Amino acid sequence: MASDLSFVHRFEPATRPGLAPLLLLHGTGGDENDLLPLGQMISPGAALLSVRGQVLEHGMPRFFRRLAEGVFDEADVIHRANDLADFVEAAREVYGFAAPLALGYSNGANIAAALLLLRPPTLRGGILLRAMVPLAQPPEADLSGRSLLLVSGQHDPIIPPANGERLAAMLTGAGADVTRRVLPVGHQLSQADISLAREWLKRAEITAAIRSA
Ligand code: MLT
């Protein structure tokens, strides 16, 4: 395991106790600064670990290589997901926080899906905004106890809603508790995504508190 913190990242410690830490994963061309405001809006006071993808596509950071839009280099997906999982483990030791919930957008949501399928203990669940299937034939994963919110855009020109549906079925089949919503929007995030994520997180936290009571 890489013991150094090999990904460029920002960490904001929690200012309120008892909230799930968030692992923030940006879309193509983003960086570790992009999703901090979104994380703060969705879960004010939660610890935030925001990471920059290590692949460059024409200078734009991503979390794994693709051969064309929507066509992934799956060997690279596997390699990069393992690197990211090792980094999250190392960061948890250094900063001292519990297994995070992923908050990923687009390419960041896709690497979050790959983390779930390849290295399930890395994440306690996640909010995946505009995600698609990252691996055609993923290994069998046990995602029982993991709660996920998947939000697709009905008019998304990059990710057909049917692909989001397939991902939801794949994660449900692995035992995750998946909530899926399709908004009447495109690939860009909307205010409705933020409202849905906030409401879902509140419900997930209440359920977790009941479970651990
Ligand atoms: C991807 O490459 O992960 C998806 O096509 C979304 C994107 O980043 O454009």
Side-chain angles (χ1 to χ4, degrees):
M1 185 186 106
S3 57
D4 59 329
L5 297 186
S6 49
F7 280 73
V8 176
H9 66 281
R10 284 180 60 181
F11 178 70
E12 292 196 352
T15 54
R16 278 178 55 202
L19 298 173
L22 297 183
L23 173 67
L24 307 178
L25 302 164
H26 62 78
T28 300
D31 67 22
E32 68 282 8
N33 300 306
D34 275 27
L35 295 190
L36 286 170
L38 186 65
Q40 286 153 359
M41 271 188 272
I42 288 177
S43 189
L48 304 175
L49 175 65
S50 191
V51 185
R52 187 192 301 180
Q54 290 184 323
V55 167
L56 285 180
E57 184 183 272
H58 309 300
M60 295 186 295
R62 287 177 51 85
F63 287 95
F64 55 81
R65 289 201 188 93
R66 62 180 165 183
L67 307 173
E69 193 166 278
V71 184
F72 301 152
D73 174 343
E74 294 205 6
D76 197 60
V77 173
I78 294 168
H79 164 68
R80 305 283 174 180
N82 279 305
D83 282 355
L84 182 59
D86 289 345
F87 165 75
V88 172
E89 258 178 58
R92 284 185 55 193
E93 267 177 43
V94 170
Y95 297 118
F97 60 92
L101 270 179
L103 171 58
Y105 167 61
S106 189
N107 182 245
N110 297 340
I111 195 73
L115 278 179
L116 285 160
L117 293 164
L118 296 166
R119 295 279 293 267
T122 309
L123 297 173
R124 70 167 67 184
I127 299 171
L128 275 49
L129 306 171
R130 313 294 183 275
M132 61 191 286
V133 171
L135 294 167
Q137 305 283 339
E140 265 189 34
D142 178 6
L143 295 178
S144 45
R146 306 277 185 310
S147 294
L148 300 169
L149 172 65
L150 266 57
V151 187
S152 304
Q154 200 179 344
H155 311 294
D156 190 334
I158 298 174
I159 301 168
N163 193 304
E165 183 71 53
R166 267 203 293 134
L167 177 62
M170 194 179 261
L171 296 167
T172 304
D177 175 6
V178 178
T179 301
R180 178 159 192 267
R181 295 281 179 270
V182 181
L183 293 172
V185 298
H187 195 65
Q188 293 305 314
L189 292 181
S190 65
Q191 188 57 44
D193 286 276
I194 300 173
S195 307
L196 270 180
R198 282 177 68 106
E199 281 158 28
W200 175 85
L201 193 54
K202 241 181 251 159
R203 270 202 313 277
E205 270 160 7
I206 291 166
T207 315
I210 292 168
R211 255 195 232 127
S212 62

